[in-house]
């Protein structure tokens, strides 16, 4: 896999390049800012671009650069890295795209296997979300009473958590030790309980399901 | 606490003293009024000054670009060593070291968020306060001005409210109202879980 890296921290950038090479990937280039990465991707396509969220240009230059890369080369996978797992950044990432994209904490990809798995899933078209963030959000959302999410069963919440981590139905089945058919049934129940429209494509509804719980968790309309 | 409220009485002295004299251990009904009034009166919050904001922003950046960045790079280096070592026992010890590193980074991340919330720095007042509320497990309702505040007003108001969020228990319900541009008025109403009492806090910031 051809990978380009944009990261303003020299130490982390060099370490990431070495780890990518150890994982058997080709490092097409390492850049200290987003503008240099966009120029390189415009000249020669890569399979996945890895970007730091907080880097030049701007306070969240990685997100702006990801938007430009996605507009320039829609087939290029994008992995955004950060020191912080924040819902706001996740929402921005999902606004950029619902396919071939990921958002992970920097220290959580510090292994050949986990980095390789993350890149493979992004290249295969999945959304990869930092599991810590997905777990925290699903747990928080489900604990609130009076929301559609509160009506989900424990198993459906587990399925939604894994959907939020970007897992496909087969992967969810493997994780929960149930059949793919049972996963489909739970996913259909989640769509129904969250009131998601039936005329959307299945993939679109998956993203809507994740967004529904993220948004419900972020703002609770109850006044004190 | 009721103290020093002097009203003319049969035996003189304060209402609180009278209440203790008449019925030790019980607060006089007149003395309860100011107590209730005191609880419902808005408390004043002290907004951070311009220099405080700059100092806290710099501290968070130093932490982020210094210790946190270096430790993340160290985690990568450990990952590299683990990939080349080829010894299961050593790999396990490296994995344990990486776990410890992850724990330390979590702590530093928490400290950084308290010093200056990262989303407040990168995305502004609304997203910044939502992020802090999410971390604190608060349920919030934001009522912010439709027009964009100046950078100084955003950061000072954001830190003022975020600092208050850190004093609240998880599950508290909070309403934040911000009005004005040069003279920014902030009203925070909160109710902690298990109580019915609403508390109101106010602050006024003069911004350039």
């Amino acid at each position: 896999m051809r990978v380009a890296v944009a990261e303003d921290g020299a130490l982390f950038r060099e370490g990431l390049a070495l780890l990518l090479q150890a994982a058997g990937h080709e490092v097409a280039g390492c850049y200290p800012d987003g503008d240099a990465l966009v120029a390189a991707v415009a000249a020669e396509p890569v399979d996945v671009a890895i970007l730091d969220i907080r880097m030049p240009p701007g306070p969240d230059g990685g997100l702006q650069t990801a938007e430009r890369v996605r507009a320039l080369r829609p087939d290029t996978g994008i992995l955004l890295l950060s020191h912080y797992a924040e819902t706001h950044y996740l929402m921005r990432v999902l606004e950029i795209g619902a396919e071939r994209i990921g958002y992970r904490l920097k220290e959580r990809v510090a292994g050949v296997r986990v980095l390789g798995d993350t890149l493979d899933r992004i290249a295969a078209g999945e959304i990869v979300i930092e599991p810590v963030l997905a777990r925290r959000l699903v747990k928080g959302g489900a604990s609130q009473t009076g929301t559609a999410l509160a009506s989900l069963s424990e198993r459906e919440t587990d399925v939604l958590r894994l959907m939020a981590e970007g897992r496909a139905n087969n992967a969810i089945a493997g994780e929960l030790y149930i059949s793919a058919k049972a996963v489909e049934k739970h996913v259909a129940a989640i769509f129904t309980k969250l009131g998601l429209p039936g005329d959307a494509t299945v993939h679109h509804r998956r993203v809507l399901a994740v967004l529904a719980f993220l948004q419900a968790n972020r703002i609770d309309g109850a006044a004190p | 606490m009721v103290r020093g409220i002097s009203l003319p009485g049969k035996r003189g002295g304060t209402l609180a003293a009278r209440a203790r004299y008449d019925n030790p251990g019980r607060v006089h009904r007149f003395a309860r009024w100011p107590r209730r009034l005191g609880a419902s009166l808005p408390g004043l919050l002290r907004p951070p000054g311009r220099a405080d904001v700059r100092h806290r922003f710099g501290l968070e950046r130093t932490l982020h670009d210094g210790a946190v960045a270096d430790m993340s790079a160290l985690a990568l280096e450990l990952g590299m060593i683990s990939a080349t070592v080829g010894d299961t026992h050593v790999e396990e010890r490296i994995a344990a070291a990486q776990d410890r590193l992850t724990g330390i980074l979590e702590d530093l991340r928490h400290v950084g968020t308290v010093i200056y919330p990262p989303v407040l720095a990168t995305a502004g007042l609304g997203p910044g306060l939502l992020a802090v509320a999410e971390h604190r497990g608060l349920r919030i309702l934001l009522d912010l001005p439709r027009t964009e505040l100046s950078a100084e007003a955003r950061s000072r108001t954001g830190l003022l409210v975020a600092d208050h969020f850190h004093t609240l228990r998880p599950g508290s319900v909070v309403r934040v109202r911000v009005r004005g541009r040069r003279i920014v008025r902030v009203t925070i109403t909160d109710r902690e879980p298990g109580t019915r009492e609403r508390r109101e806090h106010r602050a006024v910031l003069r911004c350039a």
Side-chain angles (χ1 to χ4, degrees), chain A residues 7 74 118 146:
Chain A
E7 157 72 54
T118 301

Side-chain angles (χ1 to χ4, degrees), chain A residues 8 11-12 15-16 18-19 22 54 59-60 82-89 105-112 132-133 136-137 144 217-224, chain B residues 60-61 64 68-70 72-73 75-76 79-80 83 98 102 105-106 109 112-113 118-119 121-123 127 130-131 134-135 139-141 173-175 189-191 198:
Chain A
D8 58 345
L11 215 55
F12 191 85
L16 192 58
L18 289 172
L19 200 64
R54 278 173 82 170
D60 55 358
S82 175
H83 286 306
Y84 292 102
E86 297 286 355
T87 310
H88 171 76
Y89 294 144
L105 284 169
K106 284 184 175 178
E107 78 273 12
R108 299 277 179 177
V109 292
V112 169
V132 174
L133 179 61
R136 191 175 80 209
L137 292 169
Q144 287 180 13
N217 192 50
R218 289 183 79 213
I219 305 175
D220 191 299
Chain B
E60 195 278 333
R61 290 301 310 186
H64 178 273
V68 173
D70 287 353
S72 297
L76 280 181
M80 268 297 297
Q98 278 185 314
T102 302
L105 279 168
E106 276 296 329
R109 200 171 281 140
T113 302
V119 182
T122 58
L130 284 171
E134 183 188 299
H135 283 287
R139 297 160 63 192
I140 68 165
L141 184 68
V173 183
V174 196
R175 181 192 173 102
T189 314
D190 61 60
R191 180 165 53 81
R198 290 180 193 181

Side-chain angles (χ1 to χ4, degrees), chain B residues 76-126:
Chain B
L76 280 181
E77 201 167 329
L78 286 173
M80 268 297 297
I81 295 168
S82 180
T84 52
V85 75
D87 181 326
T88 317
H89 180 63
V90 178
E91 281 175 14
E92 282 170 5
R93 290 186 64 179
I94 291 172
Q98 278 185 314
D99 281 347
R100 282 202 297 278
L101 209 53
T102 302
I104 297 166
L105 279 168
E106 276 296 329
D107 291 342
L108 289 178
R109 200 171 281 140
H110 177 70
V111 172
T113 302
V114 174
I115 294 173
Y116 202 110
V119 182
L120 178 65
T122 58
L125 187 58

